[in-house]
């Protein structure tokens, strides 16, 4: 009897997790727009340093500039 109750509990838990995952994946507000985050910032002295937001270069501390 304990095995049946445990098995039923596991099934319910897995079902709940699966449903919440589906809802999160189907929510269009959570998806990142390509146009919104397509701006990249890079260091003038270290072009290999690329970030998705303004800031400073992690190698030299220079201000990052918008990449063309």
């Amino acid at each position: 009897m304990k095995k049946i109750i445990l098995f039923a509990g596991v099934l319910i838990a897995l079902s709940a997790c699966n449903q919440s995952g589906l809802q999160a994946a189907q929510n269009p507000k959570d998806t990142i727009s390509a146009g919104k985050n397509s701006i990249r910032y890079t260091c003038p002295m270290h072009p290999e340093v690329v970030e998705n937001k303004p800031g400073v270069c992690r190698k030299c501390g220079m201000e990052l500039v918008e990449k063309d």
Side-chain angles (χ1 to χ4, degrees), residues 25-64:
Q26 292 173 350
N27 190 352
K29 292 180 184 177
D30 292 338
T31 58
I32 297 173
S33 169
K36 190 176 182 181
N37 289 335
S38 63
I39 298 173
R40 299 285 183 214
Y41 298 87
T42 186
C43 175
M45 296 297 291
H46 302 99
E48 67 275 10
V49 176
V50 180
E51 299 289 338
N52 61 352
K53 59 185 178 183
V56 295
C57 176
R58 61 181 172 264
K59 290 186 175 184
C60 66
M62 286 184 68
E63 193 73 28
L64 299 178

